[in-house]
Amino acid sequence: MLKRLLSLCLICSSAAAQTLSVTSPNKQISLTLSDDSGSPEYSVSFDRKPVIESSKLGFIFKAQPELSNVLKIVRLDTSSRNSNWEQPWGEQRVINDHHNELFVELQTQDHRKLNLRFKVFDDGLGFRYEYPQQTNSEKIEIVKELTEFKFADSNDMTGFWIPAKGWNRYEFLYSKTPLQNASHVNTPFTIRSTNGAHISIHEAALVNYPSMTLKQQRLGTFQADLIPWYDGSLAKLQGSFKTPWRTIQLASDAKGLLNSRLILNLNEPNKLGDVSWVNPGKYIGIWWEMHIGKASWGTKSNIPHGATTENTKKYIDFAAEHGFDGVLVEGWNKGWDGSWFLNGDVFSFTESYPDFDLPALTNYAKQKNVKIIGHHETSGSVTNYEKQMNDAFKLYKDHGVEQIKTGYVADGGKVKRTDANGVIRHEWHDGQFMVNHYLESVKTSAKYQIAINTHEPIKDTGLRRTYPSWISREGARGQEFNAWGNPPNPPSHIPMLTYTRMLSGPMDFTPGIFDLSFNGLDEDANRPQTTLAKQLATYVVLYSPIQMAADLPENYLEKKDAFQFIKDVPTDWEKSIAVDGEIGEFVVFARQERKSKKYSGEDWYLGAVTDNKARTIKVDLDFLEPQKKYIAQIYRDGEQANWKTNPYDLVIESKQVDSSSQLTIKLASSGGAAIRFKAI
Ligand code: NOJ
Ligand code: CA
């Protein structure tokens, strides 16, 4: 338990410095806040070893005096909490929130105020600034947030990161470098120390504020670098504000980061009320055929239009026959002809192409108990989208569409909007303007009981807890890069995503490509650089409440045995446990299905994937319910499998197991294993 500090008002003389500390419930993490140096600084230790050394806090404003120097602690309050809460859908139904809290009021000599709130959990900590109203509803423009993360022993640390402020948003390959070579990074930023500490820096509850990136100011010291507006200012606020939580997840091994629920715990509870209309599930779609050049989004190229009534019916039939919930249709609406990624202003979100009959298709789907999944590509022309949003959501709502995939294909810094005076401005995808736009799209669609899956999104910061209709998002290199990316995603990509991007929340990666040689098997051809077993394992490894079976229906019919796993695997979980792994190298996840109309809740699933290196893993099945017997339906790499020359070698076998069993599984080079433990 937290040592109860002072909870009364402390009127400190300006001379009396304060040093306060809070520990995690299990005492492994300790946070210290001090105003010794005249300005507030915090430090963090893990297992009694320093992780973050005295690091600065505070702000520089455009108009108001800066809040950093001569800022003293004048009052503090502490509290603790240990409670459970339930997710409507998720990787885990019941989440435990156990933390100790420290709230501190700081003041300058001329009585300007800044409050800080810290929450310390066993899996890390978060802190946020709470800026109270100082004078009447003043306008506040932040020109710098001074938050620092000064890593202790940074010479011994390795960073796993993607660059910040890049042209391709978050769609970059991850780099693994000495920490000191990470100059300007996006979060989640994953770090490993030779002393065993595994660290992730991120943020939670990013609302009405710019996204935080991290810039290495001096070796080992990273400073918050907020994404600016078009005019260079960082945050435009009024009166009072709360920043997102700045988060530091800490674990003694790699899997510990995956088992952390810190980001969700720092978000506010559901604000949408009844969300029974938000449905996890699996979908197929008119999608991959465009990415591999077999069909087109538009109607004027020499490649056939994908989103025709006839083709959509074929997909609906396939979905109905094989138990899929949805069919995504891209390219159904006017605006795709020409260079659609440069011409977002001409998209209509209510008018279909003449060869696509929305009412007939939604009716047809309804008869077959399948839902059409809507699609809104904006190409980053946000004002054009905002103008049409309500009509567009209403149209889909009227036809029973309950999920929309949105898209914001535009280079970083090039999102286009028209301001109140009719002037065109270009914004970043992760500046305050777009942070607000993305959330607004979710809130507005929720009024129509429509859930949103954002592509080219703002990074996830756990807002699915507060807005559970924000059902998934992209925000990293997905499967599409294997169709046309240069280079395609390498063998390390999925294990790397697991310990970086996935720490922020669900990803619509779109696994399940079965034709791995649509361009042949040349090493440098565009194709998934994985085995078939790894495509299956990805359904368990990369969590999303909606999962696509991304390949063409005919490719599934050719490999019906392997397809069975995709048909069986659920997307909503009672429990998720990362069992084993190393950052960027391999990972093993076990998940228990959540009880629902379709699932008994008794089966478990396991997914294991490796990078280029073939390896043998041993998995104790002690996560299974004791005394219960299961048939393990195993989909694993065959003896000859490897991603380069023999990606299809797949063995499907069954074994009876229980919680005392151990499985030894060989993973091929860029291979995997997918297992259903069917309770008997
Ligand atoms: C990029 C998305 O990630 C992809 O899935 C989609 O097909 C295209 N935009 C077109 O909207
Ligand atoms: Ca994309």
Side-chain angles (χ1 to χ4, degrees):
M1 258 304 289
L2 168 79
K3 216 189 324 157
R4 193 116 188 127
L5 299 160
L6 290 179
S7 58
L8 356 148
C9 184
L10 258 189
I11 308 292
C12 320
S13 75
S14 57
Q18 302 268 334
T19 297
L20 312 170
S21 69
V22 208
T23 60
S24 56
N26 69 0
K27 303 252 194 300
Q28 209 181 8
I29 300 173
S30 169
L31 169 113
T32 303
L33 177 72
S34 168
D35 62 4
D36 261 4
S37 66
S39 51
E41 295 190 349
Y42 78 99
S43 57
V44 178
S45 71
F46 180 59
D47 276 338
R48 297 182 188 281
K49 288 179 228 122
V51 179
I52 305 281
E53 291 173 348
S54 275
S55 295
K56 284 206 173 77
L57 297 162
F59 289 103
I60 300 177
F61 302 104
K62 187 167 177 189
Q64 296 82 354
E66 74 181 55
L67 276 176
S68 129
N69 289 327
V70 210
L71 189 58
K72 306 292 279 179
I73 298 168
V74 292
R75 198 182 84 89
L76 63 95
D77 202 355
T78 63
S79 60
S80 299
R81 184 187 181 100
N82 187 0
S83 63
N84 289 336
W85 58 276
E86 196 169 306
Q87 300 204 79
W89 49 263
E91 68 277 58
Q92 173 116 0
R93 186 172 59 84
V94 179
I95 307 263
N96 178 239
D97 173 353
H98 191 187
H99 69 262
N100 294 326
E101 181 169 334
L102 169 67
F103 174 75
V104 181
E105 288 180 13
L106 301 123
Q107 238 180 61
T108 60
Q109 272 163 338
D110 54 354
H111 302 287
R112 294 193 61 79
K113 295 188 179 102
L114 182 63
N115 301 337
L116 280 166
R117 193 179 296 277
F118 296 85
K119 289 188 179 186
V120 188
F121 302 74
D122 289 346
D123 54 345
L125 62 102
F127 60 89
R128 76 172 352 165
Y129 300 93
E130 300 183 359
Y131 178 92
Q133 178 141 334
Q134 328 254 345
T135 56
N136 272 347
S137 219
E138 55 179 353
K139 277 210 165 113
I140 305 155
E141 214 175 292
I142 295 175
V143 295
K144 194 158 194 58
E145 181 184 314
L146 297 169
T147 310
E148 275 180 359
F149 301 85
K150 184 175 182 184
F151 291 96
D153 301 324
S154 62
N155 282 331
D156 298 331
M157 288 177 164
T158 304
F160 303 83
W161 53 276
I162 50 170
K165 273 189 155 180
W167 68 275
N168 218 2
R169 308 162 304 270
Y170 304 118
E171 297 177 21
F172 291 98
L173 289 175
Y174 279 81
S175 295
K176 172 186 175 186
T177 67
L179 184 75
Q180 302 190 337
N181 297 354
S183 51
H184 189 191
V185 302
N186 266 311
T187 73
F189 178 33
T190 304
I191 299 136
R192 183 173 62 206
S193 166
T194 48
N195 74 16
H198 290 66
I199 309 162
S200 169
I201 311 290
H202 188 42
E203 56 184 316
L206 171 56
V207 176
N208 193 24
Y209 201 77
S211 172
M212 176 181 76
T213 65
L214 298 170
K215 228 181 197 166
Q216 193 157 196
Q217 290 298 117
R218 331 186 66 198
L219 288 185
T221 301
F222 289 76
Q223 193 173 53
D225 193 60
L226 303 179
I227 298 294
W229 285 76
Y230 72 94
D231 63 1
S233 81
L234 303 184
K236 299 174 193 270
L237 301 152
Q238 192 143 17
S240 64
F241 67 89
K242 290 179 183 166
T243 67
W245 296 91
R246 277 66 190 89
T247 61
I248 306 174
Q249 280 158 289
L250 287 159
S252 50
D253 55 16
K255 68 175 191 291
L257 289 179
L258 311 184
N259 289 322
S260 165
R261 309 284 179 247
L262 181 96
I263 302 296
L264 282 171
N265 271 326
L266 288 170
N267 272 273
E268 286 174 33
N270 175 10
K271 286 189 178 163
L272 294 182
D274 173 19
V275 286
S276 53
W277 48 273
V278 179
N279 291 310
K282 282 175 291 192
Y283 70 102
I284 56 170
I286 300 180
W287 181 77
W288 187 243
E289 55 189 90
M290 273 86 94
H291 285 270
I292 60 174
K294 279 197 160 178
S296 72
W297 283 275
T299 55
K300 297 215 165 95
S301 80
N302 46 14
I303 305 171
H305 184 211
T308 63
T309 302
E310 193 193 344
N311 198 24
T312 310
K313 276 192 176 162
K314 208 181 85 188
Y315 274 81
I316 293 170
D317 293 343
F318 185 85
E321 192 180 335
H322 297 282
F324 288 92
D325 306 280
V327 174
L328 166 72
V329 189
E330 296 198 359
W332 66 278
N333 57 321
K334 288 186 184 164
W336 290 91
D337 297 307
S339 295
W340 54 265
F341 37 85
L342 297 175
N343 206 11
D345 282 347
V346 305
F347 274 121
S348 163
F349 299 100
T350 51
E351 285 172 278
S352 313
Y353 277 123
D355 56 352
F356 182 83
D357 189 338
L358 180 68
L361 284 165
T362 45
N363 250 330
Y364 186 73
K366 195 173 174 193
Q367 283 159 26
K368 300 216 159 193
N369 205 17
V370 171
K371 297 270 177 192
I372 297 275
I373 298 176
H375 185 237
H376 289 163
E377 174 59 62
T378 66
S379 293
S381 281
V382 165
T383 305
N384 179 47
Y385 187 37
E386 286 179 343
K387 277 193 207 144
Q388 299 182 54
M389 238 180 209
N390 277 288
D391 292 343
F393 294 146
K394 182 168 184 313
L395 173 74
Y396 270 148
K397 169 78 181 164
D398 288 348
H399 290 96
V401 171
E402 58 179 39
Q403 273 173 28
I404 298 174
K405 170 177 168 180
T406 58
Y408 294 82
V409 173
D411 283 2
K414 292 279 190 295
V415 168
K416 188 174 164 193
R417 71 173 176 103
T418 311
D419 73 9
N421 302 318
V423 182
I424 290 175
R425 307 288 184 197
H426 287 98
E427 303 285 357
W428 289 93
H429 286 74
D430 44 356
Q432 185 185 9
F433 173 82
M434 282 304 285
V435 164
N436 290 345
H437 167 84
Y438 287 113
L439 183 55
E440 224 23 68
S441 78
V442 171
K443 287 186 188 169
T444 307
S445 56
K447 292 187 192 143
Y448 299 85
Q449 302 202 326
I450 288 175
I452 297 289
N453 165 19
T454 320
H455 277 232
E456 298 76 41
I458 180 67
K459 68 187 177 185
D460 200 346
T461 56
L463 285 172
R464 64 187 155 128
R465 177 173 179 190
T466 318
Y467 303 98
S469 64
W470 205 337
I471 194 146
S472 199
R473 76 185 78 200
E474 190 192 37
R477 270 175 156 242
Q479 184 88 270
E480 61 185 9
F481 275 78
N482 297 328
W484 43 255
N486 183 17
N489 299 327
S492 59
H493 190 59
I494 292 171
M496 189 64 98
L497 285 180
T498 313
Y499 299 93
T500 51
R501 158 69 181 81
M502 299 309 291
L503 297 180
S504 70
M507 177 176 177
D508 187 37
F509 178 84
T510 68
I513 297 304
F514 272 28
D515 176 5
L516 297 162
S517 46
F518 50 91
N519 284 321
L521 282 182
D522 280 357
E523 209 174 302
D524 49 10
N526 265 108
R527 60 171 167 124
Q529 298 191 343
T530 73
T531 65
L532 182 57
K534 186 169 173 178
Q535 288 291 320
L536 297 180
T538 304
Y539 285 90
V540 184
V541 167
L542 297 184
Y543 168 65
S544 173
I546 50 167
Q547 290 279 24
M548 186 177 204
D551 211 339
L552 313 178
E554 57 263 35
N555 294 330
Y556 291 126
L557 296 178
E558 256 185 41
K559 296 188 182 66
K560 280 194 177 142
D561 293 349
F563 186 40
Q564 189 59 44
F565 184 81
I566 299 182
K567 290 164 73 166
D568 291 340
V569 70
T571 63
D572 195 23
W573 307 100
E574 176 67 24
K575 252 186 218 160
S576 285
I577 307 169
V579 178
D580 199 1
E582 286 300 340
I583 304 173
E585 297 174 23
F586 77 105
V587 61
V588 184
F589 254 111
R591 304 191 196 263
Q592 182 187 11
E593 68 185 21
R594 181 165 170 175
K595 194 167 181 229
S596 67
K597 275 188 211 133
K598 279 195 185 171
Y599 298 94
S600 70
E602 290 183 54
D603 295 355
W604 280 78
Y605 286 79
L606 181 139
V609 296
T610 179
D611 60 3
N612 213 7
K613 193 171 153 198
R615 64 186 86 223
T616 300
I617 53 166
K618 286 189 169 29
V619 186
D620 289 324
L621 305 185
D622 51 5
F623 49 82
L624 296 175
E625 201 175 304
Q627 265 83 56
K628 220 174 182 157
K629 301 261 179 255
Y630 297 82
I631 298 291
Q633 301 170 346
I634 304 171
Y635 301 71
R636 63 168 175 86
D637 294 318
E639 296 305 316
Q640 306 305 319
N642 68 71
W643 75 266
K644 279 190 189 160
T645 58
N646 202 355
Y648 297 116
D649 186 12
L650 176 81
V651 172
I652 304 176
E653 61 193 5
S654 291
K655 263 186 200 162
Q656 187 172 315
V657 297
D658 60 30
S659 64
S660 67
S661 312
Q662 189 187 59
L663 286 182
T664 302
I665 312 165
K666 272 196 197 163
L667 308 175
S669 170
S670 197
I675 306 177
R676 175 190 188 188
F677 297 98
K678 189 172 161 34
I680 50 175

